[in-house]
Amino acid sequence: MSEARVTLSEAVARDWDVIVIGTGIGGGTVGRHLAEQGLSVLFVERGPAGVRAEEHALNPTLWGEEARLVRGYWPKPLHATVNGVSTTFHAPLGAGVGGSSVFYAAALERPAPHDLDSSDDIPHPTGGWPVTYAEMDPYFAKAEALYRVCGDRDPLGPDKDLPDGPKMTPSDQALFDEMTAIGLHPYKGHLALRHLKDKAVYLGRKCPNGSKMDGRSAGVEPALETGNAALLDRCMVTEIDHTGEDVTGVRVSSREGTARLTARAYVLAAGALHSPRVLMASGGLGNGADLVGRNLMFHLNEMLALWPKRAARAEGASKALAFRDLYLQNGARFGMVQALGVEAQYGEVVHYLNMAFDRSRLRRQKWLRQFTRIPAALAVKLFGSAKVFVGILEDLPYAQNRVTFDPNDPDRLAITYDMAPELLQRRKAFRAALKRRLKGVRMAFVSAAPELNFGHPCGTLRFGDDPQTSVLDRNCKLHGVENLWVVDASFMPTSMGVNPSLTIAANALRVGEKIAIRLHNREDGDV
Amino acid sequence: MSEQFAVITGAGSGLGRALATALCARGIAVAGLGRRADALQDTATLAGEKFTPIVADVSDPQEVAAAFAHIRAIAPVSILINNAAVYPHRDILDETGESFMQTVATNLGGTVACSREALKDMTVAGRGRIINVSSFADLSPLPCSAAYSVSKGAVTIFSRALVADLGDRLPNIVVSTWMPGMLNTSMGLAEGLDPAVAAQWGAALALWDDPTLNGAVFEMNREILPSRGLKGRIKDVVRFKRRVPRQIAP
């Protein structure tokens, strides 16, 4: 990767076809597509390229901005005011080549048609996405091929056959049989993995051997291999210069100093928390309808432990199983259930309990906080043989849930979010449905309180046909701006009942096609 | 595992020579750094054809860089034993700022510079082994050992700092600290241990392939467990973890 890295002064000296801000699933995928179309692409990434052999996971307990940044973690904490309670913590956000995706567990699941489309039977809460499932379908297939998605066909879903995934462990097989016996429809979850036969699998951590497909291995690295793309790492975009109709450059800051970079087209892919922040730092670009940063959604994580009857202890985590029997129940939007894929370890459980403590009524009694260690140790013992699953409960858009911006501290990452009564009601129904449908399998809910999945932010620059109700048009170009597109999870009008990654990748390919056509047409026009 | 290639500093005498001989006898190719060509040649005679002598003063980062450029042209480094050290017996009233820092430059500076160079290869491979030869001189310094004690204590801390920086990211680059014991070398005591005996432990420790050795400290052939405060001991009990020191199998 080093040959394709450029310094700030080298980046300034060139006039690029496209500047891509951020290198996660969205930025990596669109940059690869554009580079493969022969366009010159500059990736601007806040974090470092890193060392390819690294294999660490996210670590929310590590403080110190430089220590976080060299590991590819977002350096600054998130200030979250949730239901009126403010906490400050490190969200599961990456800052490095591949963005947050280098730390993900590679679940690339298709949404269901009703996640996008509205029908008489299943009305969509926003009236439907501007692009239908049928229009997205070829891009889902392309993204699945690009990311080498493997696994079983969902017996309840519309997806096509995929290559076979990793072999199930004996306890996964036991659980699979138990679930089938009680009438559920489990399947091997969809994972972005290649070289299954001869390489170790790294889920939930950086993959040193290139087998996990993420924004780095499926996006930036193949883009750089075309020879048409370059990487400017450890460089922060501070502001987008524009005339109102045209973006004229991006202002950046790195260890080399500050500079202005220019291109014919710009793609913002900094993630659903950062992209609106960058727009707000740019004189309210795209904010004519006061929608930038609004309609922030996360999923609610409903974690449950399942103990297979024929348990094999200490097999390690696996992400094999998923089921969608409760995806939509009597018109209520729940979501899919999948193996967590990350082992519950002592340090993570302590952190998780400390976070819960900080939101609890006990939070002013700081000395009590250290006692979270005891239940944590017990939990690790207790859940040792269990498989931890997570139900992904869809979140719906509310304008008051939003990324906030402080002009005096534009780098500050902050959100306010209130759990809607409707969401809490739906969560109750989801838990009841889970309990009912899993009768016969030994199970326990891991948490009592609702848990936001801070790794799945979306919706903050929603796309739509009406500039009064959306920030982006149907091609994810800013309404009224000629040359700025957004391809991260910001564009989603609703959060769906699945992990966002496949949809981000598919949409990035769709938008990439539009950008390439636009730039090639202009080239012809010039001649 | 792929072919190993070891670098040993201070290979022209004492423990370094014995380590080079021991590793070569186990079939490992070794590049030995030392200040004196003739002393390195004597090591080469003992160690055999698997030994490559390289003249360099580890207190000079430029000489270290040149030496590793030479080494890298042969093969990437997979094992580094930071052994080179000087021990001037000097009263603090006879030290100057310069003389003190000259000792630190060899004992600590050499360890840092060689580690940085070796890490260039090890971070690409994603694996490697670093043994920092240290001592307990820092715990209760003897008279006339200020610079030695300070720099050796710092080497022990440097091992811990390496683990703090790399342990989570590159867990297969394994750093251990080794206190070989009092040796019968020109730097040690006449009644000390034969360096050839200690070198068998050092060689075995360098070839011991186990990521849980990251951050481990060994004295002679036995692991020294880090001391635990009350909180840590309670945590161990709650987590059903009993710590047992390991022993180097020669």
PDB file of all heavy atoms in Angstrom, chain A residues 22-25 28 45 47-48 58 71-74 92-104 206 214-216 220 269-270:
ATOM      1  N   GLY A  22     -13.036   9.687   3.503  1.00  0.00           N
ATOM      2  CA  GLY A  22     -13.380   8.527   4.330  1.00  0.00           C
ATOM      3  C   GLY A  22     -13.215   7.241   3.538  1.00  0.00           C
ATOM      4  O   GLY A  22     -13.501   7.194   2.330  1.00  0.00           O
ATOM      5  N   THR A  23     -12.726   6.193   4.206  1.00  0.00           N
ATOM      6  CA  THR A  23     -12.385   4.955   3.484  1.00  0.00           C
ATOM      7  C   THR A  23     -13.075   3.727   4.074  1.00  0.00           C
ATOM      8  O   THR A  23     -12.545   2.628   4.016  1.00  0.00           O
ATOM      9  CB  THR A  23     -10.860   4.726   3.487  1.00  0.00           C
ATOM     10  OG1 THR A  23     -10.432   4.606   4.851  1.00  0.00           O
ATOM     11  CG2 THR A  23     -10.110   5.834   2.799  1.00  0.00           C
ATOM     12  N   GLY A  24     -14.238   3.905   4.686  1.00  0.00           N
ATOM     13  CA  GLY A  24     -14.990   2.749   5.177  1.00  0.00           C
ATOM     14  C   GLY A  24     -15.634   1.996   4.027  1.00  0.00           C
ATOM     15  O   GLY A  24     -15.186   2.062   2.878  1.00  0.00           O
ATOM     16  N   ILE A  25     -16.701   1.278   4.333  1.00  0.00           N
ATOM     17  CA  ILE A  25     -17.384   0.488   3.302  1.00  0.00           C
ATOM     18  C   ILE A  25     -17.837   1.402   2.152  1.00  0.00           C
ATOM     19  O   ILE A  25     -17.628   1.097   0.976  1.00  0.00           O
ATOM     20  CB  ILE A  25     -18.608  -0.232   3.899  1.00  0.00           C
ATOM     21  CG1 ILE A  25     -18.175  -1.251   4.957  1.00  0.00           C
ATOM     22  CG2 ILE A  25     -19.447  -0.874   2.798  1.00  0.00           C
ATOM     23  CD1 ILE A  25     -17.923  -2.627   4.470  1.00  0.00           C
ATOM     24  N   GLY A  28     -14.565   3.269   0.481  1.00  0.00           N
ATOM     25  CA  GLY A  28     -13.698   2.265  -0.146  1.00  0.00           C
ATOM     26  C   GLY A  28     -14.335   1.693  -1.402  1.00  0.00           C
ATOM     27  O   GLY A  28     -13.691   1.561  -2.451  1.00  0.00           O
ATOM     28  N   GLU A  45      -8.125  10.140   4.313  1.00  0.00           N
ATOM     29  CA  GLU A  45      -8.509   9.369   5.491  1.00  0.00           C
ATOM     30  C   GLU A  45      -7.960  10.030   6.752  1.00  0.00           C
ATOM     31  O   GLU A  45      -6.797  10.377   6.830  1.00  0.00           O
ATOM     32  CB  GLU A  45      -7.985   7.923   5.349  1.00  0.00           C
ATOM     33  CG  GLU A  45      -8.094   7.052   6.580  1.00  0.00           C
ATOM     34  CD  GLU A  45      -9.488   7.001   7.193  1.00  0.00           C
ATOM     35  OE1 GLU A  45     -10.463   6.730   6.473  1.00  0.00           O
ATOM     36  OE2 GLU A  45      -9.602   7.265   8.414  1.00  0.00           O
ATOM     37  N   GLY A  47      -7.498   8.704   9.701  1.00  0.00           N
ATOM     38  CA  GLY A  47      -6.579   7.849  10.465  1.00  0.00           C
ATOM     39  C   GLY A  47      -5.440   7.328   9.606  1.00  0.00           C
ATOM     40  O   GLY A  47      -5.281   7.700   8.447  1.00  0.00           O
ATOM     41  N   PRO A  48      -4.623   6.465  10.182  1.00  0.00           N
ATOM     42  CA  PRO A  48      -3.442   5.964   9.492  1.00  0.00           C
ATOM     43  C   PRO A  48      -3.721   4.731   8.641  1.00  0.00           C
ATOM     44  O   PRO A  48      -4.713   4.028   8.853  1.00  0.00           O
ATOM     45  CB  PRO A  48      -2.513   5.583  10.647  1.00  0.00           C
ATOM     46  CG  PRO A  48      -3.450   5.146  11.729  1.00  0.00           C
ATOM     47  CD  PRO A  48      -4.716   5.971  11.570  1.00  0.00           C
ATOM     48  N   LEU A  58     -11.339  -3.279  18.503  1.00  0.00           N
ATOM     49  CA  LEU A  58     -11.592  -1.963  19.095  1.00  0.00           C
ATOM     50  C   LEU A  58     -11.362  -2.045  20.604  1.00  0.00           C
ATOM     51  O   LEU A  58     -11.515  -3.103  21.207  1.00  0.00           O
ATOM     52  CB  LEU A  58     -13.039  -1.536  18.836  1.00  0.00           C
ATOM     53  CG  LEU A  58     -13.350  -1.026  17.432  1.00  0.00           C
ATOM     54  CD1 LEU A  58     -14.851  -1.048  17.190  1.00  0.00           C
ATOM     55  CD2 LEU A  58     -12.811   0.391  17.237  1.00  0.00           C
ATOM     56  N   ARG A  71      -3.932   3.132  16.348  1.00  0.00           N
ATOM     57  CA  ARG A  71      -4.615   1.836  16.260  1.00  0.00           C
ATOM     58  C   ARG A  71      -5.798   1.869  15.295  1.00  0.00           C
ATOM     59  O   ARG A  71      -6.491   0.874  15.129  1.00  0.00           O
ATOM     60  CB  ARG A  71      -5.092   1.422  17.652  1.00  0.00           C
ATOM     61  CG  ARG A  71      -3.965   0.876  18.505  1.00  0.00           C
ATOM     62  CD  ARG A  71      -4.292   0.805  19.974  1.00  0.00           C
ATOM     63  NE  ARG A  71      -3.171   0.239  20.695  1.00  0.00           N
ATOM     64  CZ  ARG A  71      -2.045   0.870  20.976  1.00  0.00           C
ATOM     65  NH1 ARG A  71      -1.895   2.128  20.603  1.00  0.00           N
ATOM     66  NH2 ARG A  71      -1.064   0.271  21.614  1.00  0.00           N
ATOM     67  N   GLY A  72      -6.070   3.034  14.731  1.00  0.00           N
ATOM     68  CA  GLY A  72      -7.198   3.119  13.806  1.00  0.00           C
ATOM     69  C   GLY A  72      -8.523   3.308  14.513  1.00  0.00           C
ATOM     70  O   GLY A  72      -9.574   3.028  13.936  1.00  0.00           O
ATOM     71  N   TYR A  73      -8.489   3.757  15.775  1.00  0.00           N
ATOM     72  CA  TYR A  73      -9.730   4.077  16.491  1.00  0.00           C
ATOM     73  C   TYR A  73     -10.013   5.565  16.316  1.00  0.00           C
ATOM     74  O   TYR A  73      -9.074   6.375  16.281  1.00  0.00           O
ATOM     75  CB  TYR A  73      -9.612   3.829  18.001  1.00  0.00           C
ATOM     76  CG  TYR A  73      -9.112   2.483  18.431  1.00  0.00           C
ATOM     77  CD1 TYR A  73      -8.476   2.330  19.653  1.00  0.00           C
ATOM     78  CD2 TYR A  73      -9.289   1.350  17.631  1.00  0.00           C
ATOM     79  CE1 TYR A  73      -8.013   1.099  20.085  1.00  0.00           C
ATOM     80  CE2 TYR A  73      -8.821   0.111  18.053  1.00  0.00           C
ATOM     81  CZ  TYR A  73      -8.183  -0.012  19.289  1.00  0.00           C
ATOM     82  OH  TYR A  73      -7.724  -1.223  19.705  1.00  0.00           O
ATOM     83  N   TRP A  74     -11.304   5.941  16.285  1.00  0.00           N
ATOM     84  CA  TRP A  74     -11.602   7.373  16.262  1.00  0.00           C
ATOM     85  C   TRP A  74     -11.008   7.988  17.534  1.00  0.00           C
ATOM     86  O   TRP A  74     -11.252   7.497  18.638  1.00  0.00           O
ATOM     87  CB  TRP A  74     -13.108   7.624  16.177  1.00  0.00           C
ATOM     88  CG  TRP A  74     -13.337   9.069  15.871  1.00  0.00           C
ATOM     89  CD1 TRP A  74     -13.632  10.055  16.770  1.00  0.00           C
ATOM     90  CD2 TRP A  74     -13.208   9.697  14.593  1.00  0.00           C
ATOM     91  NE1 TRP A  74     -13.689  11.265  16.098  1.00  0.00           N
ATOM     92  CE2 TRP A  74     -13.436  11.078  14.778  1.00  0.00           C
ATOM     93  CE3 TRP A  74     -12.904   9.221  13.310  1.00  0.00           C
ATOM     94  CZ2 TRP A  74     -13.389  11.991  13.717  1.00  0.00           C
ATOM     95  CZ3 TRP A  74     -12.853  10.131  12.258  1.00  0.00           C
ATOM     96  CH2 TRP A  74     -13.102  11.492  12.466  1.00  0.00           C
ATOM     97  N   PRO A  92     -17.834   2.726  18.967  1.00  0.00           N
ATOM     98  CA  PRO A  92     -17.108   1.793  18.099  1.00  0.00           C
ATOM     99  C   PRO A  92     -16.936   2.351  16.690  1.00  0.00           C
ATOM    100  O   PRO A  92     -17.603   1.935  15.755  1.00  0.00           O
ATOM    101  CB  PRO A  92     -17.979   0.537  18.119  1.00  0.00           C
ATOM    102  CG  PRO A  92     -19.345   1.017  18.449  1.00  0.00           C
ATOM    103  CD  PRO A  92     -19.168   2.234  19.304  1.00  0.00           C
ATOM    104  N   LEU A  93     -16.066   3.341  16.563  1.00  0.00           N
ATOM    105  CA  LEU A  93     -15.838   4.019  15.283  1.00  0.00           C
ATOM    106  C   LEU A  93     -14.371   3.921  14.917  1.00  0.00           C
ATOM    107  O   LEU A  93     -13.505   4.168  15.758  1.00  0.00           O
ATOM    108  CB  LEU A  93     -16.208   5.500  15.389  1.00  0.00           C
ATOM    109  CG  LEU A  93     -17.651   5.848  15.722  1.00  0.00           C
ATOM    110  CD1 LEU A  93     -17.763   7.344  15.968  1.00  0.00           C
ATOM    111  CD2 LEU A  93     -18.574   5.427  14.578  1.00  0.00           C
ATOM    112  N   GLY A  94     -14.105   3.590  13.688  1.00  0.00           N
ATOM    113  CA  GLY A  94     -12.732   3.522  13.224  1.00  0.00           C
ATOM    114  C   GLY A  94     -12.265   4.846  12.653  1.00  0.00           C
ATOM    115  O   GLY A  94     -13.063   5.691  12.261  1.00  0.00           O
ATOM    116  N   ALA A  95     -10.946   5.049  12.652  1.00  0.00           N
ATOM    117  CA  ALA A  95     -10.320   6.158  11.938  1.00  0.00           C
ATOM    118  C   ALA A  95      -9.035   5.584  11.375  1.00  0.00           C
ATOM    119  O   ALA A  95      -8.008   5.584  12.032  1.00  0.00           O
ATOM    120  CB  ALA A  95     -10.037   7.329  12.865  1.00  0.00           C
ATOM    121  N   GLY A  96      -9.110   5.059  10.200  1.00  0.00           N
ATOM    122  CA  GLY A  96      -7.956   4.418   9.580  1.00  0.00           C
ATOM    123  C   GLY A  96      -8.441   3.852   8.267  1.00  0.00           C
ATOM    124  O   GLY A  96      -9.636   3.912   7.976  1.00  0.00           O
ATOM    125  N   VAL A  97      -7.527   3.319   7.461  1.00  0.00           N
ATOM    126  CA  VAL A  97      -7.953   2.802   6.169  1.00  0.00           C
ATOM    127  C   VAL A  97      -8.907   1.623   6.390  1.00  0.00           C
ATOM    128  O   VAL A  97      -8.593   0.690   7.108  1.00  0.00           O
ATOM    129  CB  VAL A  97      -6.741   2.391   5.309  1.00  0.00           C
ATOM    130  CG1 VAL A  97      -7.200   1.686   4.042  1.00  0.00           C
ATOM    131  CG2 VAL A  97      -5.927   3.630   4.962  1.00  0.00           C
ATOM    132  N   GLY A  98     -10.097   1.733   5.804  1.00  0.00           N
ATOM    133  CA  GLY A  98     -11.155   0.753   6.050  1.00  0.00           C
ATOM    134  C   GLY A  98     -12.168   1.257   7.060  1.00  0.00           C
ATOM    135  O   GLY A  98     -13.222   0.643   7.233  1.00  0.00           O
ATOM    136  N   GLY A  99     -11.854   2.348   7.733  1.00  0.00           N
ATOM    137  CA  GLY A  99     -12.801   2.943   8.687  1.00  0.00           C
ATOM    138  C   GLY A  99     -13.190   1.970   9.774  1.00  0.00           C
ATOM    139  O   GLY A  99     -12.366   1.192  10.246  1.00  0.00           O
ATOM    140  N   SER A 100     -14.462   2.008  10.167  1.00  0.00           N
ATOM    141  CA  SER A 100     -14.930   1.111  11.221  1.00  0.00           C
ATOM    142  C   SER A 100     -14.984  -0.338  10.727  1.00  0.00           C
ATOM    143  O   SER A 100     -14.962  -1.266  11.529  1.00  0.00           O
ATOM    144  CB  SER A 100     -16.330   1.526  11.687  1.00  0.00           C
ATOM    145  OG  SER A 100     -16.347   2.888  12.049  1.00  0.00           O
ATOM    146  N   SER A 101     -15.034  -0.513   9.408  1.00  0.00           N
ATOM    147  CA  SER A 101     -15.293  -1.867   8.894  1.00  0.00           C
ATOM    148  C   SER A 101     -14.142  -2.828   9.163  1.00  0.00           C
ATOM    149  O   SER A 101     -14.356  -4.036   9.199  1.00  0.00           O
ATOM    150  CB  SER A 101     -15.609  -1.829   7.391  1.00  0.00           C
ATOM    151  OG  SER A 101     -14.453  -1.542   6.626  1.00  0.00           O
ATOM    152  N   VAL A 102     -12.921  -2.325   9.355  1.00  0.00           N
ATOM    153  CA  VAL A 102     -11.831  -3.268   9.645  1.00  0.00           C
ATOM    154  C   VAL A 102     -12.051  -3.959  10.995  1.00  0.00           C
ATOM    155  O   VAL A 102     -11.450  -4.988  11.268  1.00  0.00           O
ATOM    156  CB  VAL A 102     -10.427  -2.607   9.624  1.00  0.00           C
ATOM    157  CG1 VAL A 102     -10.078  -2.144   8.230  1.00  0.00           C
ATOM    158  CG2 VAL A 102     -10.320  -1.483  10.625  1.00  0.00           C
ATOM    159  N   PHE A 103     -12.909  -3.375  11.824  1.00  0.00           N
ATOM    160  CA  PHE A 103     -13.189  -3.973  13.131  1.00  0.00           C
ATOM    161  C   PHE A 103     -14.514  -4.735  13.149  1.00  0.00           C
ATOM    162  O   PHE A 103     -14.919  -5.233  14.180  1.00  0.00           O
ATOM    163  CB  PHE A 103     -13.216  -2.885  14.212  1.00  0.00           C
ATOM    164  CG  PHE A 103     -11.916  -2.146  14.339  1.00  0.00           C
ATOM    165  CD1 PHE A 103     -11.806  -0.821  13.951  1.00  0.00           C
ATOM    166  CD2 PHE A 103     -10.788  -2.790  14.835  1.00  0.00           C
ATOM    167  CE1 PHE A 103     -10.597  -0.139  14.056  1.00  0.00           C
ATOM    168  CE2 PHE A 103      -9.576  -2.118  14.949  1.00  0.00           C
ATOM    169  CZ  PHE A 103      -9.483  -0.788  14.557  1.00  0.00           C
ATOM    170  N   TYR A 104     -15.222  -4.789  12.036  1.00  0.00           N
ATOM    171  CA  TYR A 104     -16.544  -5.400  12.078  1.00  0.00           C
ATOM    172  C   TYR A 104     -16.452  -6.919  11.999  1.00  0.00           C
ATOM    173  O   TYR A 104     -15.379  -7.488  11.824  1.00  0.00           O
ATOM    174  CB  TYR A 104     -17.483  -4.809  11.031  1.00  0.00           C
ATOM    175  CG  TYR A 104     -17.378  -5.256   9.581  1.00  0.00           C
ATOM    176  CD1 TYR A 104     -18.419  -4.982   8.707  1.00  0.00           C
ATOM    177  CD2 TYR A 104     -16.272  -5.917   9.069  1.00  0.00           C
ATOM    178  CE1 TYR A 104     -18.374  -5.360   7.376  1.00  0.00           C
ATOM    179  CE2 TYR A 104     -16.223  -6.296   7.728  1.00  0.00           C
ATOM    180  CZ  TYR A 104     -17.263  -6.019   6.896  1.00  0.00           C
ATOM    181  OH  TYR A 104     -17.225  -6.397   5.581  1.00  0.00           O
ATOM    182  N   LYS A 206      -9.075  -6.437  13.324  1.00  0.00           N
ATOM    183  CA  LYS A 206      -8.374  -6.241  12.057  1.00  0.00           C
ATOM    184  C   LYS A 206      -7.881  -7.575  11.541  1.00  0.00           C
ATOM    185  O   LYS A 206      -7.324  -8.370  12.298  1.00  0.00           O
ATOM    186  CB  LYS A 206      -7.177  -5.307  12.262  1.00  0.00           C
ATOM    187  CG  LYS A 206      -7.520  -3.840  12.274  1.00  0.00           C
ATOM    188  CD  LYS A 206      -6.253  -3.009  12.133  1.00  0.00           C
ATOM    189  CE  LYS A 206      -6.579  -1.548  11.928  1.00  0.00           C
ATOM    190  NZ  LYS A 206      -5.369  -0.759  11.623  1.00  0.00           N
ATOM    191  N   ASP A 214     -13.468  -5.987   3.729  1.00  0.00           N
ATOM    192  CA  ASP A 214     -13.956  -4.772   4.377  1.00  0.00           C
ATOM    193  C   ASP A 214     -13.584  -3.573   3.503  1.00  0.00           C
ATOM    194  O   ASP A 214     -13.123  -3.755   2.368  1.00  0.00           O
ATOM    195  CB  ASP A 214     -13.375  -4.665   5.801  1.00  0.00           C
ATOM    196  CG  ASP A 214     -11.865  -4.861   5.835  1.00  0.00           C
ATOM    197  OD1 ASP A 214     -11.194  -4.442   4.868  1.00  0.00           O
ATOM    198  OD2 ASP A 214     -11.348  -5.428   6.819  1.00  0.00           O
ATOM    199  N   GLY A 215     -13.780  -2.378   4.027  1.00  0.00           N
ATOM    200  CA  GLY A 215     -13.502  -1.186   3.231  1.00  0.00           C
ATOM    201  C   GLY A 215     -12.058  -1.106   2.765  1.00  0.00           C
ATOM    202  O   GLY A 215     -11.756  -0.483   1.746  1.00  0.00           O
ATOM    203  N   ARG A 216     -11.181  -1.784   3.500  1.00  0.00           N
ATOM    204  CA  ARG A 216      -9.765  -1.795   3.141  1.00  0.00           C
ATOM    205  C   ARG A 216      -9.477  -2.867   2.080  1.00  0.00           C
ATOM    206  O   ARG A 216      -8.996  -2.557   0.991  1.00  0.00           O
ATOM    207  CB  ARG A 216      -8.933  -2.038   4.404  1.00  0.00           C
ATOM    208  CG  ARG A 216      -7.443  -2.124   4.173  1.00  0.00           C
ATOM    209  CD  ARG A 216      -6.671  -2.213   5.484  1.00  0.00           C
ATOM    210  NE  ARG A 216      -7.024  -3.367   6.307  1.00  0.00           N
ATOM    211  CZ  ARG A 216      -6.256  -3.862   7.285  1.00  0.00           C
ATOM    212  NH1 ARG A 216      -5.096  -3.292   7.547  1.00  0.00           N
ATOM    213  NH2 ARG A 216      -6.658  -4.888   7.993  1.00  0.00           N
ATOM    214  N   VAL A 220     -10.225  -0.002  -0.684  1.00  0.00           N
ATOM    215  CA  VAL A 220      -9.045   0.830  -0.902  1.00  0.00           C
ATOM    216  C   VAL A 220      -7.904   0.050  -1.552  1.00  0.00           C
ATOM    217  O   VAL A 220      -7.293   0.516  -2.518  1.00  0.00           O
ATOM    218  CB  VAL A 220      -8.582   1.459   0.434  1.00  0.00           C
ATOM    219  CG1 VAL A 220      -7.294   2.248   0.231  1.00  0.00           C
ATOM    220  CG2 VAL A 220      -9.672   2.370   0.999  1.00  0.00           C
ATOM    221  N   ALA A 269     -17.848  10.394   2.611  1.00  0.00           N
ATOM    222  CA  ALA A 269     -18.108   9.047   3.127  1.00  0.00           C
ATOM    223  C   ALA A 269     -17.452   8.915   4.496  1.00  0.00           C
ATOM    224  O   ALA A 269     -16.758   7.963   4.792  1.00  0.00           O
ATOM    225  CB  ALA A 269     -17.581   7.985   2.161  1.00  0.00           C
ATOM    226  N   ALA A 270     -17.694   9.905   5.334  1.00  0.00           N
ATOM    227  CA  ALA A 270     -17.023   9.955   6.637  1.00  0.00           C
ATOM    228  C   ALA A 270     -17.828   9.243   7.714  1.00  0.00           C
ATOM    229  O   ALA A 270     -17.418   9.211   8.871  1.00  0.00           O
ATOM    230  CB  ALA A 270     -16.775  11.419   7.028  1.00  0.00           C
TER     231      ALA A 270
END
